[in-house]
């Protein structure tokens, strides 16, 4: 079995799709090595195992797939559901999540396990909306950890290392509408001199670039209609950008049919915050991805550093995206403080990408970069450990819940072996 981008063949002997919690518990109790697999959208071996994979797409735990507590607004959802299934069901009940990733195709448990995020100065990663997780541990115990519990900050961005998450509790807010406006023609000088202002010019802002063209390619602004009173953001045009004259895809020369509606048409949050629509293939498919998250204070230097490498990285790129994420308190969060995210969608040429990643990392690591847990990087695991002040607490939690290392595999096994 391969991952979504087909750049990785998993090492597992088989994949199980348990239908009940008892079946799931039987697999975990009977196998020396098990790992939960989400929708397979990670680009590296974060989800891999030499044992048995479990996917929760058929799991019925006897409770409703999605259940919103009217008193608190907290939604309890089956962990194997995809955001594209959860979001419209929440919207139908007048509720919303604060953030969505670029694609709604990913599973809730798999997305939050790697710190998946969207963009927005005021929005945290998807893990930031999680207020509780229920997981089956290696000992067969069903454990619920909620915000306020001592181990909770280790339990959401957990790389599948603590057990199989069966339910996730998500904080929700009242549903809201968003408009999406795309601008072109922003010069590099205007961006670098006004980086914070551009990134803060709407609820969620994404800048697409190849790093070596004279202008950045596009600025995508997603504005809440309620706080912007329906007006298009004015900053990009104030800096010389112009509104796009047609719907755009993040990748050049790809038709925008797979993209959520643009052109300033207001719509529900879950049909504007992701770039891609659930019923179409997101992005390209034949691609690789890397991403580095940096403290906001290092943002301008990081942008200048990658721009200086533009001639090296540009020819290997399909596109690159600059986003922002508000900080959260998960021990393994790549966005433990307000962050700038530098994302790279590469042509599917691993031999060439593997050559350039160390150059990128040499430029970005001294600025405090943390690689996205689910994308491609060459940073050694020892170096990764040192980037997380609470890593020892996470390793201790993993050892307590999984002393025999049932849930260790892929690079996560190496990470926890030190
Ligand atoms: C086209 C594309 C666009 C993307 N866009 C974004 C983006 O906008 N922002 C971003 O941050 N990332 C993005 N990503 C990366 C992606 O969101 C992450 O890799 C995410 O982790 C994938 O979720 P998944 O459900 O496919 O999990 P998988 O890749 O299957 O697994 C990821 C991790 O989750 C664990 N896991 C899965 N299910 C469970 C469970 N039930 N219990 C415990 N652990 C579990 C696995 O063990 C593994 O460690 C994108 C990827 C693609 C392919």
């Amino acid at each position: 079995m391969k991952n979504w981008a087909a750049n990785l063949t998993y090492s597992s002997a088989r994949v199980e799709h348990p239908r009940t919690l008892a079946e799931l518990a039987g697999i975990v109790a009977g196998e020396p090595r098990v790992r939960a697999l989400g929708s397979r959208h990670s680009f590296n071996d974060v989800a891999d195992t030499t044992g048995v994979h479990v996917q929760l797409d058929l799991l019925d735990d006897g409770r409703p797939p999605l259940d919103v507590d009217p008193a608190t607004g907290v939604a309890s959802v089956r962990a194997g559901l995809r955001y594209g299934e959860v979001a419209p069901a929440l919207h139908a009940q007048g509720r919303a999540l604060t953030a969505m990733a670029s694609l709604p195709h990913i599973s809730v448990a798999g997305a939050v396990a790697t710190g998946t995020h969207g963009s927005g100065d005021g929005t945290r990663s998807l893990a930031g909306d999680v207020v509780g997780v229920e997981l089956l541990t290696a000992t067969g115990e069903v454990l619920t950890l909620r915000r306020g519990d001592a181990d909770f900050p280790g339990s959401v961005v957990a790389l599948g290392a603590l057990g199989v998450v069966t339910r996730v509790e998500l904080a929700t807010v009242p549903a809201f509408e968003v408009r999406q406006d795309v601008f072109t023609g922003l010069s590099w000088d205007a961006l670098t001199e006004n980086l914070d202002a551009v990134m803060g010019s709407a609820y969620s802002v994404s800048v697409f670039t190849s790093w070596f063209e004279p202008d950045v390619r596009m600025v995508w602004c997603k504005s809440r209609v309620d706080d912007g009173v329906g007006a298009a953001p004015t900053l990009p045009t104030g800096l010389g950008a112009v509104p796009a004259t047609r719907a755009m895809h993040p990748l050049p020369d790809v038709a925008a049919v797979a993209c959520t509606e643009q052109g300033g048409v207001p719509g529900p949050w879950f049909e504007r915050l992701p770039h891609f629509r659930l019923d179409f293939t997101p992005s390209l498919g034949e691609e690789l991805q890397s991403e580095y998250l940096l403290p906001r204070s290092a943002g301008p230097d990081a942008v200048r550093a990658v721009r200086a490498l533009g001639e090296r990285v540009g020819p290997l790129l399909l596109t690159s995206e600059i986003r922002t994420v508000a900080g959260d308190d998960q021990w393994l969060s790549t966005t433990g403080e307000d962050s700038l995210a530098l994302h790279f969608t590469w042509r599917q040429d691993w031999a060439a990408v593997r050559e350039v990643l160390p150059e990128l990392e040499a430029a970005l690591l001294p600025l405090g970069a943390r690689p996205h847990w689910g994308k491609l990087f060459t940073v050694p695991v020892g170096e990764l450990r040192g980037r997380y002040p609470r890593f020892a607490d996470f390793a201790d939690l993993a050892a307590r819940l999984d002393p025999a290392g049932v849930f260790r595999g892929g690079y996560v096994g190496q990470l926890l072996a030190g």
Side-chain angles (χ1 to χ4, degrees), residues 30-76:
E31 299 289 339
R33 292 276 182 273
V34 181
R35 296 212 86 198
L37 190 59
S39 53
R40 298 180 292 110
H41 281 85
S42 294
F43 289 84
N44 60 29
D45 65 353
V46 63
D48 207 12
T49 178
T50 51
V52 173
H53 267 131
V54 287
Q55 279 188 303
L56 304 189
D57 47 340
L58 302 182
L59 184 73
D60 179 351
D61 61 0
R63 288 180 275 166
L66 180 146
D67 192 17
V68 182
D69 178 340
T72 61
V74 170
S76 167

Side-chain angles (χ1 to χ4, degrees), residues 4-5 10 35-43 46-48 54-56 79-80 100-103 105-118 158-161 163-166 275-276 282-285 287 289 291 321 323 343 372-375 412:
W4 173 83
Y10 294 110
R35 296 212 86 198
L37 190 59
S39 53
R40 298 180 292 110
H41 281 85
S42 294
F43 289 84
V46 63
D48 207 12
V54 287
Q55 279 188 303
L56 304 189
M100 295 280 282
S102 70
L103 77 175
H105 306 66
I106 44 181
S107 78
V108 173
V112 301
T114 63
T116 292
H117 60 88
L159 314 176
V164 181
V165 175
T166 53
H275 303 329
F276 301 109
S283 199
L284 189 63
E287 65 190 63
Q289 294 187 12
E291 188 167 24
E321 183 178 0
R323 288 185 279 185
H343 162 90
H372 191 303
W373 292 113
K375 301 184 183 181
V412 180

Side-chain angles (χ1 to χ4, degrees), residues 234 266 282 361:
T234 52
E361 289 164 1

